[in-house]
Amino acid sequence: MSPILSMPSQAPAPAIGTALHELAVAAAHVLAALRATLFQTAATRPLSASEEAEQVRALAVSYLKTDRRFADDLFAAANRHEMLHGA
């Protein structure tokens, strides 16, 4: 006979409200741990002008085949940004 069936009928049943509360608390802990893991905020330093320009150039490269004029505008903007902000 399985242990569940052999339990005496006088055993106190856990209160449903208590069990639901414990489940809600456990779920809140799991969600908080997931949020902390997935959305870690690292202290990042501001990018320099040359780093910003490099990001724009990388975007421009992605547009070279589909929109050459836009890519050229992005390259020009990156160069102008470096000149204006002293890279």
Side-chain angles (χ1 to χ4, degrees), residues 49-83:
S50 62
E51 290 170 327
E52 290 173 336
E54 282 307 311
Q55 287 184 346
V56 173
R57 287 186 185 102
L59 181 63
V61 168
S62 72
Y63 281 98
L64 277 175
K65 290 183 180 178
T66 57
D67 192 346
R68 179 61 191 226
R69 286 184 182 178
F70 182 56
D72 288 342
D73 287 342
L74 289 175
F75 282 123
N79 291 339
R80 201 168 35 251
H81 181 69
E82 278 186 325
M83 286 189 292

Side-chain angles (χ1 to χ4, degrees), residues 10-22:
Q10 291 88 12
I16 291 176
T18 302
L20 288 175
H21 176 72
E22 290 174 6

